Amino acid sequence: MNNNEIDKQKLMDAVISSSGGSIDRESLAGAVNNKNVAPLINKLSAEDKEKLSKVMSNKESMEAVLKSPQAQAILRTFLKGGGKNG
């Protein structure tokens, strides 16, 4: 297993553990491999969907989220998985 694969596994483990059990490894792997987060969003509670919607509808909030170290790590993982930048 190379370093990129280890980093991807650590990131997936962190997402799963922070989801409070609402996201399983299979669903997350499917979202990463298919580049489709809709199934994950559908698993969110109504409250979490509302929070996500509020953040995504506000440009400043989205910029702050995308600049976070966690978001940068996720973006790097998705881009590497797509054959870009790595």
Side-chain angles (χ1 to χ4, degrees), residues 7-59:
D7 290 342
K8 187 175 181 180
Q9 288 302 317
K10 284 183 182 178
L11 180 59
M12 289 179 71
D13 290 343
V15 169
I16 291 166
S17 68
S18 69
S19 75
S22 64
I23 297 174
D24 58 69
R25 184 167 299 283
E26 184 177 313
S27 298
L28 183 57
V32 170
N33 293 333
N34 298 322
K35 295 185 178 10
N36 180 9
V37 297
L40 297 181
I41 291 171
N42 289 336
K43 291 185 174 207
L44 294 175
S45 68
E47 180 182 345
D48 287 341
K49 283 181 188 177
E50 183 178 339
K51 288 177 187 176
L52 180 61
S53 178
K54 284 181 182 179
V55 169
M56 292 180 68
S57 65
N58 182 297
K59 181 180 177 182

